[in-house]
Amino acid sequence: MKKKGKNTTKKKGILAQYKAKKSKGNIANTGLKTLVDLLLGSTVGAGIGAGAGQAAIPIGILLIAGSHYLDEETGILRIAGSATIAYGIGKAITNKQIADANQINGLAGESSKAKTRLNLFKDEVFTAFYLDKIYKPKDKEATEIAIEGIGQIDLSSLDVFEDDLKQQAIEFEMGQDDLEGFEEDYKNEIEDFSYAMIDEDPDLTNI
């Protein structure tokens, strides 16, 4: 009876198996690697950019540099880094508006800003992949609040002028009321004095 020899071959990890798959001329492997690049590279990279906010660009650069430094052959980190940078550039103005809106509303914490950005990113993914036609999230309150906050950024500074104009109008009306009251009192005093002069009998003894 032959003894079973020790298995000297090590089991390949998932990453090694993935790298070993050749995509040239192979439709199945091409589809698999395309799906991995799409989900783990582009989509996750954009999600990192959404969560990072204004720090998306430096994080994306670190992901790309890390891929080269580690000699990562799959290219997933480079794709993720590029997607992070691209999303950060595309959302630079929106991220600034979200930060300003949260600061005005007293929600200056980074966690609240990240939550707002990720809620928007979720809806963007659903819209980009036409998933909103199939599945419509029931709770859109967070997104609506975020959109309203962004929309109010450019108009909020005008509230100060509007309030000032209202205050000036109120003060003007009060001034008019006081002036009318003063004129009425003055008129009454003149009339009372005139009546008093007419009612008194003049002293003509010295004439």
Side-chain angles (χ1 to χ4, degrees):
M1 185 176 179
K2 294 182 180 180
K3 294 182 179 179
K4 294 182 180 180
K6 293 182 179 180
N7 187 6
T8 57
T9 59
K10 295 181 180 180
K11 294 182 179 179
K12 293 182 178 180
I14 297 176
L15 183 60
Q17 293 178 8
Y18 177 79
K19 290 191 296 184
K21 292 182 179 296
K22 302 299 180 182
S23 58
K24 184 177 180 179
N26 190 312
I27 296 178
N29 290 344
T30 298
L32 174 64
K33 292 197 172 185
T34 300
L35 184 62
V36 170
D37 290 343
L38 176 64
L39 296 179
L40 297 183
S42 301
T43 306
V44 172
I48 294 173
Q54 294 177 328
I57 293 178
I59 290 177
I61 294 173
L62 288 176
L63 288 174
I64 295 175
S67 176
H68 290 297
Y69 183 79
L70 298 173
D71 194 21
E72 189 255 332
E73 297 178 0
T74 63
I76 295 176
L77 285 180
R78 291 193 296 275
I79 295 174
S82 299
T84 302
I85 294 174
Y87 190 90
I89 294 174
K91 290 292 183 178
I93 296 177
T94 302
N95 290 338
K96 185 177 183 303
Q97 289 176 336
I98 290 174
D100 293 341
N102 285 7
Q103 187 172 2
I104 290 174
N105 295 330
L107 302 172
E110 184 60 31
S111 60
S112 63
K113 290 184 284 187
K115 182 179 179 181
T116 303
R117 292 193 301 265
L118 289 173
N119 280 327
L120 288 173
F121 174 71
K122 177 193 66 177
D123 291 339
E124 289 168 349
V125 170
F126 273 79
T127 303
F129 290 102
Y130 302 100
L131 296 176
D132 57 332
K133 306 297 182 182
I134 303 173
Y135 174 76
K136 295 182 179 180
K138 296 181 180 179
D139 187 11
K140 292 186 178 180
E141 182 178 356
T143 302
E144 291 174 356
I145 292 174
I147 293 175
E148 289 176 1
I150 294 172
Q152 292 171 356
I153 284 297
D154 296 333
L155 300 178
S156 60
S157 59
L158 301 179
D159 294 341
V160 178
F161 299 101
E162 183 178 356
D163 294 339
D164 185 58
L165 290 174
K166 289 181 179 179
Q167 184 63 30
Q168 291 182 10
I170 293 173
E171 292 176 356
F172 178 79
E173 291 293 334
M174 293 175 63
Q176 290 294 319
D177 293 339
D178 293 340
L179 182 59
E180 291 177 358
F182 174 78
E183 292 177 351
E184 187 67 25
D185 293 340
Y186 179 76
K187 182 178 179 181
N188 292 335
E189 289 179 0
I190 294 297
E191 291 178 351
D192 292 342
F193 178 76
S194 300
Y195 288 139
M197 291 293 295
I198 294 174
D199 291 339
E200 292 180 358
D201 294 332
D203 187 7
L204 303 176
T205 58
N206 295 327
I207 297 178

